[in-house]
Amino acid sequence: MSDAVSALDGRAAEPRPGLRLAECGLRGQITLRAGDLASSALVGAVEAITGVAVPEALSAGFAGDDRGAVWMAPDELLLFVPHAEVAGAVEMLEGALAGTHHMALDVSHARAVLRLEGADAAETLAKGAPLDFSEAGFPVGRARRTHLGGLAVGIWRRGPEEWELVCFRSFAHHLFAWLETSGVEGAEVGRFGV
Amino acid sequence: MLLITCPNCGADCAETELAPGGEAHLERFGPGSTDEDFAGYLFTRKNPKGVHFERWRHAFGCGKWFHAARCTVTLEVFGTYPAQVTEPPAEIVERIRARRPNWEG
């Protein structure tokens, strides 16, 4: 049996002092699609697995570092669980949603999660995505899918200076390098007034 | 740059997040129809100078299709509405008439 490794094996960098970029390592990730995200069976199962309620549209909720749920589309959630628990979590979802129109898929090894932290994180992201990254336009807890540096990504704000991004595994290196370049020392903009 | 609100997820998105899907509310003609009807369905588009109903997909977002009413001259977006309808809803038509009193659509 081969050992599972994440896309960048937890690579970390500090493009400029105070701006920290890291790949989050192995995380259990489940794409859950269902016709009705509000059904009691689904709500109960998601809460049991992730420890958070089904997030509202364009938002994310977390209960710890690698446990949470992100709203991806009107019929789609991305669930995070510790990597060791992912098989059991998918099984539990299948059981809870049996007989209803749904899909629960382990995508842990198909995606990469990056974390960007620091006062300048918002402006670093703003250079590459068509979104308002200010506190008002992108408050803590909000989640959006968009494109950044030419890639399809999901972005959510976990804290005032704490962001996470998800992308396809094979794009992880590009996204990491893009963020590192965007945040490099000397590239400060000061747009969000630190 | 167009700024359009996706009616499926409620996000205000830039044009670059969207994929255009051409003219909306086409009447489909398939097997059994006349050659003229089929050719019209395939090739003939209104291409108006002014109010236009069109299909868009929130490709880099929620991935869903929707409809938008837009002016091709000023790029004003009158509104967006769900994909599962065969004609623009009354409130969108009303909004267009308020902005374009001479519109003949």
Side-chain angles (χ1 to χ4, degrees):
Chain A
M1 185 68 189
S2 53
D3 291 330
V5 284
S6 62
L8 302 177
D9 207 7
R11 189 190 302 173
E14 192 164 352
R16 84 173 75 132
L19 183 66
R20 291 175 307 284
L21 172 64
E23 196 245 7
C24 291
L26 281 177
R27 268 193 190 182
Q29 301 179 58
I30 302 166
T31 280
L32 176 62
R33 300 194 74 161
D36 181 11
L37 293 185
S39 74
S40 57
L42 187 145
V43 169
V46 166
E47 198 155 355
I49 289 166
T50 64
V52 297
V54 171
E56 307 212 332
L58 303 178
S59 65
F62 284 87
D65 220 30
D66 51 5
R67 213 181 267 283
V70 181
W71 188 94
M72 301 296 270
D75 58 358
E76 182 181 346
L77 299 175
L78 180 60
L79 309 180
F80 288 105
V81 295
H83 187 254
E85 292 178 21
V86 68
V90 170
E91 212 168 287
M92 186 183 162
L93 284 168
E94 291 291 357
L97 299 175
T100 65
H101 182 61
H102 76 282
M103 177 187 79
L105 199 63
D106 174 8
V107 294
S108 310
H109 301 171
R111 307 269 191 278
V113 185
L114 272 62
R115 178 179 294 211
L116 187 67
E117 287 172 286
D120 294 345
E123 71 161 51
T124 301
L125 295 169
K127 290 179 191 177
L131 298 179
D132 177 3
F133 285 95
S134 67
E135 288 275 3
F138 209 127
V140 173
R142 189 167 167 87
R144 269 297 301 267
R145 285 165 78 179
T146 185
H147 56 87
L148 182 118
L151 303 181
V153 296
I155 304 177
W156 50 95
R157 191 173 201 162
R158 289 192 63 157
E161 298 180 359
E162 195 183 343
W163 302 76
E164 278 182 359
L165 301 94
V166 67
C167 71
F168 290 126
R169 181 189 181 104
S170 54
F171 295 156
H173 180 268
H174 172 88
L175 186 60
F176 192 97
W178 191 95
L179 289 168
E180 211 175 357
T181 307
S182 173
V184 78
E185 197 160 10
E188 296 85 353
V189 178
R191 167 66 181 83
F192 298 111
V194 181
Chain B
M1 171 71 81
L2 289 169
L3 293 172
I4 296 179
T5 303
C6 170
N8 297 305
C9 66
D12 295 325
C13 40
E15 188 180 344
T16 53
E17 268 187 27
L18 306 166
E23 186 179 321
H25 311 309
L26 296 177
E27 190 181 346
R28 268 89 177 154
F29 290 94
S33 59
T34 66
D35 285 355
E36 287 72 36
D37 282 344
F38 189 56
Y41 159 54
L42 275 186
F43 303 117
T44 312
R45 296 293 178 265
K46 291 195 182 107
N47 193 26
K49 185 178 177 184
V51 178
H52 192 221
F53 299 100
E54 45 198 28
R55 304 167 71 232
W56 289 87
R57 191 171 85 89
H58 196 183
F60 278 102
C62 66
K64 307 294 182 205
W65 285 93
F66 61 92
H67 283 135
R70 186 176 71 95
C71 176
T72 59
V73 179
T74 64
L75 303 191
E76 177 177 355
V77 178
F78 301 107
T80 55
Y81 50 101
Q84 292 76 17
V85 295
T86 52
E87 57 183 38
E91 76 170 302
I92 297 281
V93 173
E94 225 167 84
R95 223 176 297 163
I96 296 170
R97 291 208 190 285
R99 300 283 300 157
R100 300 279 186 280
N102 298 324
W103 176 55
E104 291 170 355

